[in-house]
Amino acid sequence: MKKSVEHLTTPKVLRDAMVYSLEAGGKRLRPILLLETLRSFGGEWQLGMDTACAIEFIHTYSLIHDDLPSMDDDDLRRGKPTNHKVFGEANAILAGDALLTYSFQLIAGSTYPNFSPNKKLSIMNELAQSAGAEGMVGGQVADIEAEGTSIDLEQLQFIHDHKTGKLLQFCVRAGAILGDATEKQLSSLTQFATHLGIAFQIRDDILDIEGDEAKIGKPVGSDTTLQKSTYPKLLTLEGAKQKCEEHLALSLKALREASVSSERLEELARFIIQREY
Amino acid sequence: MKKSVEHLTTPKVLRDAMVYSLEAGGKRLRPILLLETLRSFGGEWQLGMDTACAIEFIHTYSLIHDDLPSMDDDDLRRGKPTNHKVFGEANAILAGDALLTYSFQLIAGSTYPNFSPNKKLSIMNELAQSAGAEGMVGGQVADIEAEGTSIDLEQLQFIHDHKTGKLLQFCVRAGAILGDATEKQLSSLTQFATHLGIAFQIRDDILDIEGDEAKIGKPVGSDTTLQKSTYPKLLTLEGAKQKCEEHLALSLKALREASVSSERLEELARFIIQREY
């Protein structure tokens, strides 16, 4: 990650701000999900590397912008000061813009020989859809709108499906497209990712209540402070845990239906849901 | 422009914020520059439409982010309240993010039959380079860094070449790539756009002193207020006017060397430099 940014001819503070958040200790769940999906088709991991980096760039930009004073106003992320706390608000916004822009450059400019033009275009098209107004950005707007109001389970689902779900679905779909999946496999794997995304978000909400602050790297209870609607709030903590297990089960069922070498993806899904941070 | 956003399935406030700035009365210089370059090769204008929209989306996002309180803190743009004044800071940042993301989707997802995959990729690669850390975003960071400090002509040139120049160069290069330009033509047209970009910026600085507030849609003298370095400040007003003419002449010389049907591009260049707003 760092390497692809460090050579950029750009003001030092911008490069530093980009590297700072890329290297802030993320779990790299999204690139791993993409690469493991590709591997489940027997594909060479190198074919997925540029897209894997692109997705982490997009994820990182979204965290920088989400943390801004005008949005979640967070001081800490993964146990470190947020980007705008270190580099100032203007540079944080611009570092996010630059990461978002660069993610498309990574794919369009990829020199990996087996990465065909049509695959690049299909992946960039899906990436933009997942990350933009009809995906992640739309979810963030809906999330901000819902703050301090009381929403139902359907609205909560909409927010999460857009804010985090679409990008997780993209990871799996991009891995599958690179691995030459059939339409049927693509459809099963999209189901896998959709249920995994919901379970992932429920787990996130649970960690905000039960988690260890030192492990998750931010204060627990921040959802309550921001008066955010959460799964435990709508379903009780016990109900949320049960819902999480249900979606994990649905996700693994869809994964088996895809008829790929799914052991590592299954392991990854279990890790994502049982994680402590 | 409006049409391609209005059908998006996204929270209303986000769509409204995107449309608001797209429809705020821009001169559409960049799309026109692209389409006229394409026409100078005898290319069909439809081939350039998706890229022309993409470039206006990128330009619009950059204005929304530049106007933010943490950047230029502008209340007016083209005579109307800036995006964050109407929709709030969070929505303005997110509308910018969505426009930037969508610009790549317009190209990657273009269904125009003669727009080949390789042209799309080459154009997206150049677009990301021109708009990102090594282009426009880098220029904006350098511009913010320079505020209140005293910089020389070389540094001023760096800022403008990146903040506005690269994207203007992209418009011309994209039109030329779509029109199947030879390497030599591409190189001459890049020179044309580079000098035109410098002249454009000098003219902008002059308008900030001599312009009619009602025509330019924002208060004159804002560069002075923000203690920005400008060409008239470094070269005197008379010197800046002379420099502007010099770059226009160099730009027209390079245009003639490209050996294309250049009448309308020449007319456009003269309009850009002699404009009153």
Side-chain angles (χ1 to χ4, degrees), chain A residues 190-249:
Chain A
T190 307
Q191 281 305 307
F192 158 66
T194 303
H195 288 293
L196 183 63
I198 300 171
F200 174 83
Q201 187 57 49
I202 301 175
R203 180 70 189 153
D204 226 45
D205 285 356
I206 294 170
L207 283 174
D208 192 68
I209 297 172
E210 292 193 332
D212 179 340
E213 204 160 303
K215 281 186 190 159
I216 60 177
K218 60 178 179 183
V220 295
S222 63
D223 290 339
T224 317
T225 317
L226 285 167
Q227 295 187 276
K228 291 213 171 189
S229 296
T230 64
Y231 286 98
K233 211 162 149 188
L234 292 178
L235 301 171
T236 75
L237 184 58
E238 217 31 65
K241 285 182 180 176
Q242 195 189 322
K243 195 101 185 157
C244 185
E245 286 301 327
E246 277 170 31
H247 281 287
L248 175 61

Side-chain angles (χ1 to χ4, degrees), chain B residues 197-265:
Chain B
I198 300 171
F200 174 84
Q201 187 57 49
I202 301 175
R203 180 69 189 154
D204 225 45
D205 286 356
I206 294 170
L207 283 174
D208 191 69
I209 296 172
E210 291 193 333
D212 179 342
E213 204 160 304
K215 281 186 190 160
I216 59 178
K218 60 179 180 182
V220 295
S222 63
D223 291 340
T224 317
T225 317
L226 286 167
Q227 295 188 277
K228 292 213 171 185
S229 296
T230 64
Y231 287 97
K233 211 164 150 188
L234 291 178
L235 301 171
T236 76
L237 184 58
E238 219 29 67
K241 286 180 179 178
Q242 196 188 322
K243 194 100 184 158
C244 186
E245 286 301 326
E246 278 171 29
H247 281 287
L248 175 61
L250 286 169
S251 134
L252 296 178
K253 181 168 173 283
L255 177 58
R256 280 187 293 269
E257 285 166 6
S259 311
V260 292
S261 309
S262 60
E263 302 75 29
R264 293 178 68 114
L265 276 178

Side-chain angles (χ1 to χ4, degrees), chain A residues 7-14 18 58 61 65-66 68 70-71 89-91 93-98 100-102 104-109 116-118 120-122 124-125 127-135 137-142 144-145 158 162, chain B residues 7-14 18 58 61 65-66 68 70-71 89-91 93-98 100-102 104-109 116-118 120-122 124-125 127-135 137-142 144-145 158 162:
Chain A
H7 74 275
L8 291 175
T9 311
T10 192
K12 185 176 177 301
V13 63
L14 177 61
M18 293 166 79
I58 295 250
Y61 119 75
H65 282 192
D66 281 9
L68 288 167
S70 61
M71 304 219 205
E89 212 174 320
N91 285 326
I93 295 171
L94 291 162
D97 294 346
L100 169 56
T101 310
Y102 200 60
F104 290 97
Q105 193 174 332
L106 280 168
I107 300 173
S116 73
N118 280 330
K120 286 181 186 173
L121 290 173
S122 149
M124 279 196 281
N125 198 11
L127 179 57
Q129 282 181 40
S130 314
E134 298 193 298
V137 173
Q140 173 69 358
V141 170
I144 292 172
E145 275 192 312
F158 175 90
H162 288 75
Chain B
H7 73 275
L8 291 175
T9 312
T10 191
K12 186 177 176 303
V13 63
L14 177 60
M18 292 167 79
I58 296 249
Y61 118 76
H65 283 192
D66 281 10
L68 287 168
S70 61
M71 304 217 204
E89 213 174 319
N91 286 327
I93 295 171
L94 291 162
D97 293 346
L100 169 56
T101 309
Y102 199 58
F104 290 97
Q105 192 175 330
L106 280 168
I107 301 174
S116 73
N118 281 330
K120 285 181 186 173
L121 290 173
S122 150
M124 279 197 281
N125 197 14
L127 179 58
Q129 282 181 41
S130 313
E134 298 193 297
V137 173
Q140 173 69 357
V141 171
I144 291 172
E145 273 192 312
F158 175 90
H162 288 75

Side-chain angles (χ1 to χ4, degrees), chain B residues 8-60:
Chain B
L8 291 175
T9 312
T10 191
K12 186 177 176 303
V13 63
L14 177 60
R15 208 168 41 234
D16 288 350
M18 292 167 79
V19 169
Y20 178 81
S21 289
L22 285 172
E23 297 291 302
K27 295 182 283 292
R28 312 288 193 222
L29 274 186
R30 289 160 189 78
I32 294 171
L33 193 54
L34 184 152
L35 293 172
E36 287 299 345
T37 305
L38 173 57
R39 187 209 292 255
S40 76
F41 285 89
E44 52 208 357
W45 64 268
Q46 294 94 331
L47 174 59
M49 269 314 281
D50 288 313
T51 312
C53 285
I55 194 78
E56 192 68 7
F57 276 43
I58 296 249
H59 176 56
T60 303

